[in-house]
Amino acid sequence: MKSAVEPQIPLLVHLYSKGRVLGYERAKRNQNPNVSLIQVEGVKTTKDAQFYLGKRVAYVYRAQREVNGSKIRVIWGRIARTHGTNGVVKARFRKNLPPKVFGASVRVMLYPSNI
């Protein structure tokens, strides 16, 4: 006979959702490196993207040299507005993302919360 109380398996909970860097905001011939386009995972419409406005974005990467005992570095940004109708958002980072980052993953934090 099994006991009534089974051991609980801890669930892994993240305070962020994944996103992908698509590139810089651009026109036909000019591009603006101050603004990056990000596709948030699972977001397909402008209405869904509205939830992420004002949320913080982190690009986490590893560097060669250790600083303060860690090789991991972060470039922080914030989602400014939506872009188009497919759920893409525009984000501004403290330092512009390098072009090498296009296609890489970013963390879209679920804070600050506005609900």
Side-chain angles (χ1 to χ4, degrees), residues 13-19 52 56 106-111:
V13 178
H14 291 295
L15 282 179
Y16 62 87
S17 50
K18 284 185 173 181
Y52 290 96
R56 302 196 59 196
V106 291
R107 297 177 182 181
V108 180
M109 303 299 173
L110 298 179
Y111 55 82

Side-chain angles (χ1 to χ4, degrees), residues 62-100:
R62 292 179 191 277
Q64 284 281 310
R65 191 170 46 90
E66 260 189 40
V67 174
N68 296 332
S70 174
K71 289 186 175 183
I72 296 175
R73 312 245 175 103
V74 182
I75 300 176
W76 285 98
R78 191 176 296 270
I79 293 179
R81 58 178 292 183
T82 59
H83 174 80
T85 58
N86 281 343
V88 177
V89 292
K90 295 180 183 183
R92 285 195 168 85
F93 287 83
R94 287 186 185 160
K95 289 185 176 174
N96 297 346
L97 293 180
K100 176 178 163 183

Side-chain angles (χ1 to χ4, degrees), residues 6 10 13 18 20 22 28 35 41 52 60 76 81 111:
E6 292 193 20
V13 178
K18 284 185 173 181
R20 189 144 319 268
L22 302 180
K28 188 174 182 183
V35 181
E41 206 172 74
Y52 290 96
V60 181
W76 285 98
R81 58 178 292 183
Y111 55 82

Side-chain angles (χ1 to χ4, degrees), residues 27-73:
K28 188 174 182 183
R29 291 181 180 84
N30 300 329
Q31 59 183 5
N32 179 12
N34 301 335
V35 181
S36 299
L37 300 178
I38 294 172
Q39 175 75 62
V40 182
E41 206 172 74
V43 177
K44 297 293 179 202
T45 64
T46 307
K47 193 169 184 187
D48 295 342
Q50 298 272 332
F51 169 79
Y52 290 96
L53 300 186
K55 301 285 190 272
R56 302 196 59 196
V57 186
Y59 169 62
V60 181
Y61 64 102
R62 292 179 191 277
Q64 284 281 310
R65 191 170 46 90
E66 260 189 40
V67 174
N68 296 332
S70 174
K71 289 186 175 183
I72 296 175
R73 312 245 175 103

